[in-house]
Amino acid sequence: MRSVIDILDLSVEELEDLIATAQDIIANPESYSERCRGKKLATLFFEPSTRTRLSFEAAMYELGGNVLSVTGAGTSSAAKGESVADTAKTVSCYADIIAMRHPKEGAALVAANNASVPVINAGDGGHCHPTQTLADLLTIYREKGGFDNLTVGLCGDLKFGRTVHSLINALSRYRNIRFVLISPEELKLPSYVKNETLKKFGLPYVQSTDLEEVLPQLDILYMTRVQRERFFNEEDYLRLKDCYVLTPDKLRKAKRDLCIMHPLPRVNEISVAIDDDPRACYFKQVLNGKYMRMALILKLLKEAKA
Amino acid sequence: MNIDSIQNGIVIDHIRAGCGMQLYDLLKLGELDVSVAIIKNVTSHKMGKKDIIKIDADIPVDLDVIGFVDPDATINVIRNGVLVEKKTLALPEKLTNVLKCKNPRCITSCEQELPHVFKLADRAQRLYRCIYCETKA
C-alpha cells in the first residue's frame, strides 16, 4: 500500500503531477467536488495542530468525502496504551485513507507498515512533514514559475526545523538552487543534512548569522519559528526565540519580487506590519497546502484502488 | 599462546583487532553452552594484528552482524577437522535488532515491541541510520 512518509517518497515527476493537479483544482474546483464521494479520511492527531488538521479535513470535504477525526492522545485509545501499529490496523477498518500526526519520530512509518490503507504523514515529531513541503513547493512554483535558478534563504531554527530539512531535500533535486542558511550558532543546520544532501548533490550554500546582510541576495526567504516543544531546556528556548524578527525596515534592502514564506504558526519572527506587503506569501502557502493535500489524497486513493 | 584446533565448528578469522569482544557480545556467544575462544591481538602478516573467535559447534551465526562489525572478517566452517567452507562478507543493507536507537524522540523509545531496524545510508562511511527517525547508529 502506497503511503507518503517523507517528501523523498515522491519522485520529481510525481511532484510535478501533484502540482499540475493542484493547479487544475484551483482553476476548476467544481469538477473535483465529487471525486471522493463515499470515501472517508481519518485524521489522527496525537499532537496539537490547527492548520494541518483543518487543511486535511477541508481538503477531503472539498473533494466530496467525509472525515473521521481523533485529536489529542488523551481522547483516544493511545491514552490506554494502544500501540501505533494497533491504532493503524483498527482505523484501517473504518477509513479509506489516514492522515496522522504524532510526537514521536517514525510513528508515521510504523502506522504505514501496519495499515491496510494509505497513510499520509502529517508530522512525526521533529522528523518529517511532507505535506508542508508540498505546500511550500506549490507556493514557490506559483510565485516564481518553477524551481530552477533560485537563491533560497532559510532563516531561524535550522536545527530542529523539520520543514527546512524537507524543503532542502525536495529542492536538492532541481538545478542551480543556491541556499543561504541564516541561524544563530546553536540552531545551525545539522551536519548530516549538509553532508548527505547539500554536499552530496553539490549544492552551493553559505551560512550566516546576519539576516540583513544576506537579505538583498534572496529570491525566497523562508522564515521559521523557534519551537519551544523541541527544547529540553527552557532557558535555551527563551534566549533564542526572538533571534530573528523580519520588519518592514529590514525589507527595504530586499528584492522587489522576494517571496516571504513561513510554515506558520508564527510567534514574533515576522512583524504583522509585513502582512499587507505583496511579497508576504505565508497565507497563500496555507491555501496552497489545502490544494496539494487534495491532490495527494486523490493520487493515493487512485493508486490504492488500482 | 596455543588454542586447540576445533573438530566441528566455526572460526571467525581476520577480525579487525579490538572488535572481537563487540562481535562476541552482538552474536550473544556468552549464552552458548559450548566452548568459545576469543583470541585478541594475534600477529597477522596481512593485518599486523587481528582478533579470532573459535566456536566449538557448527551453529548458525548471523552473517549480517559479523558483516556490520567487520565486513573484512572471514568465516571458516570446520567439519571433522577439515575446512569445508569459507565465507566472505559484505556490509549488510539492513540490520534488525542488532543495534538500538538512542534517540529519545524515536517511536522505538516508547513502543517496546517494535523491531529496531537500521539501514545502510553510506557504504563508504559505513553509516547506518534508524529507519524510523534516521538517527545514525
Side-chain angles (χ1 to χ4, degrees):
Chain A
M1 184 58 61
R2 179 78 189 276
S3 290
V4 172
I5 306 304
D6 187 317
I7 193 67
L8 295 179
D9 292 341
L10 296 162
S11 68
V12 171
E13 293 73 27
E14 287 178 313
L15 289 177
E16 285 170 5
D17 286 347
L18 287 171
I19 287 170
T21 304
Q23 296 269 62
D24 196 47
I25 293 170
I26 293 167
N28 307 291
E30 64 289 341
S31 68
Y32 288 85
S33 63
E34 296 289 327
R35 294 284 181 99
C36 286
R37 179 66 62 205
K39 298 289 183 187
K40 292 187 288 288
L41 164 75
T43 52
L44 309 180
F45 277 65
F46 300 106
E47 192 179 54
S49 161
T50 309
R51 150 186 22 261
T52 307
R53 182 172 61 82
L54 292 182
S55 178
F56 269 108
E57 294 180 359
M60 194 57 173
Y61 284 128
E62 289 190 28
L63 290 167
N66 286 304
V67 174
L68 307 171
S69 193
V70 171
T71 55
T75 57
S76 70
S77 291
K80 300 174 191 167
E82 186 173 60
S83 67
V84 169
D86 283 1
T87 302
K89 285 176 187 165
T90 304
V91 175
S92 297
C93 300
Y94 309 136
D96 300 285
I97 186 165
I98 294 170
M100 189 176 94
R101 169 167 291 188
H102 197 284
K104 288 292 183 182
E105 299 175 11
L109 178 62
V110 175
N113 287 345
N114 288 278
S116 54
V117 298
V119 173
I120 302 173
N121 183 5
D124 58 341
H127 183 221
C128 291
H129 191 1
T131 60
Q132 177 62 51
T133 310
L134 292 179
D136 300 343
L137 291 174
L138 181 61
T139 305
I140 294 172
Y141 186 86
R142 287 176 67 80
E143 298 301 316
K144 295 292 176 188
F147 303 110
D148 298 330
N149 304 310
L150 293 173
T151 297
V152 180
L154 302 161
C155 179
D157 176 5
L158 308 188
K159 182 179 180 184
F160 297 114
R162 60 189 172 192
T163 56
V164 166
H165 305 170
S166 289
L167 186 58
I168 289 174
N169 277 332
L171 290 177
S172 68
R173 299 185 286 184
Y174 296 93
R175 285 177 304 165
N176 295 328
I177 296 268
R178 180 174 169 266
F179 290 101
V180 181
L181 309 172
I182 310 143
S183 71
E185 285 295 325
E186 295 91 332
L187 297 175
K188 280 167 81 170
L189 193 72
S191 56
Y192 78 86
V193 181
K194 282 185 262 186
N195 292 335
E196 292 172 30
T197 305
L198 297 177
K199 288 179 184 169
K200 184 175 169 185
F201 294 106
L203 296 165
Y205 70 93
V206 290
Q207 296 187 98
S208 173
T209 55
D210 189 341
L211 171 61
E212 284 183 81
E213 184 187 66
V214 296
L215 196 51
Q217 312 167 20
L218 306 180
D219 299 305
I220 308 279
L221 172 59
Y222 196 94
M223 297 293 292
T224 61
R225 172 175 64 100
V226 176
Q227 301 170 87
R228 182 191 290 262
E229 60 270 32
R230 305 290 170 228
F231 283 82
F232 287 127
N233 181 337
E234 179 77 2
E235 278 178 24
D236 287 344
Y237 167 70
L238 293 173
R239 185 167 51 83
L240 296 168
K241 71 185 176 76
D242 291 328
C243 52
Y244 298 103
V245 178
L246 190 64
T247 60
D249 189 43
K250 287 179 187 164
L251 264 189
R252 285 198 194 111
K253 296 176 183 169
K255 287 184 182 174
R256 293 171 73 88
D257 64 346
L258 173 71
C259 170
I260 305 167
M261 298 171 69
H262 191 302
L264 302 182
R266 73 172 150 185
V267 183
N268 296 321
E269 312 80 59
I270 302 177
S271 162
V272 290
I274 289 176
D275 292 359
D276 294 330
D277 190 301
R279 293 171 287 188
C281 297
Y282 29 93
F283 291 110
K284 290 181 191 171
Q285 233 173 311
V286 176
L287 190 57
N288 289 335
K290 183 188 69 176
Y291 294 126
M292 284 303 260
R293 289 178 180 107
M294 290 171 78
L296 184 61
I297 289 168
L298 281 171
K299 174 182 171 62
L300 293 180
L301 284 177
K302 187 178 170 191
E303 287 182 18
K305 195 177 166 188
Chain B
M1 183 183 177
N2 291 318
I3 304 272
D4 289 346
S5 56
I6 54 178
Q7 283 299 303
N8 290 291
I10 294 159
V11 177
I12 308 172
D13 199 356
H14 304 108
I15 305 167
R16 198 166 61 246
C19 293
M21 278 310 293
Q22 185 191 3
L23 203 47
Y24 179 86
D25 290 336
L26 288 174
L27 289 173
K28 298 185 173 73
L29 298 180
E31 295 171 12
L32 293 178
D33 192 21
V34 299
S35 300
V36 178
I38 307 177
I39 319 166
K40 295 177 68 176
N41 298 322
V42 180
T43 304
S44 160
H45 291 300
K46 198 168 75 176
M47 304 168 70
K49 280 182 177 179
K50 65 178 181 178
D51 291 355
I52 302 172
I53 294 177
K54 293 187 174 187
I55 306 165
D56 196 14
D58 192 1
I59 55 154
V61 288
D62 190 333
L63 299 181
D64 284 351
V65 170
I66 305 171
F68 165 67
V69 174
D70 187 355
D72 297 323
T74 51
I75 297 170
N76 303 313
V77 181
I78 316 286
R79 286 196 193 116
N80 299 317
V82 178
L83 173 66
V84 294
E85 191 181 359
K86 204 173 182 93
K87 295 175 183 170
T88 51
L89 301 160
L91 271 183
E93 288 293 330
K94 194 161 91 169
L95 289 167
T96 303
N97 290 331
V98 175
L99 305 166
K100 279 201 174 290
C101 184
K102 292 172 188 153
N103 175 10
R105 298 180 176 94
C106 180
I107 186 70
T108 54
S109 71
C110 63
E111 298 213 353
Q112 307 299 329
E113 290 188 32
L114 278 176
H116 286 242
V117 184
F118 283 76
K119 270 196 170 173
L120 184 60
D122 188 322
R123 188 170 289 278
Q125 294 191 37
R126 300 177 59 181
L127 177 69
Y128 284 83
R129 288 197 179 280
C130 171
I131 62 160
Y132 303 105
C133 67
E134 296 182 73
T135 298
K136 64 181 174 186

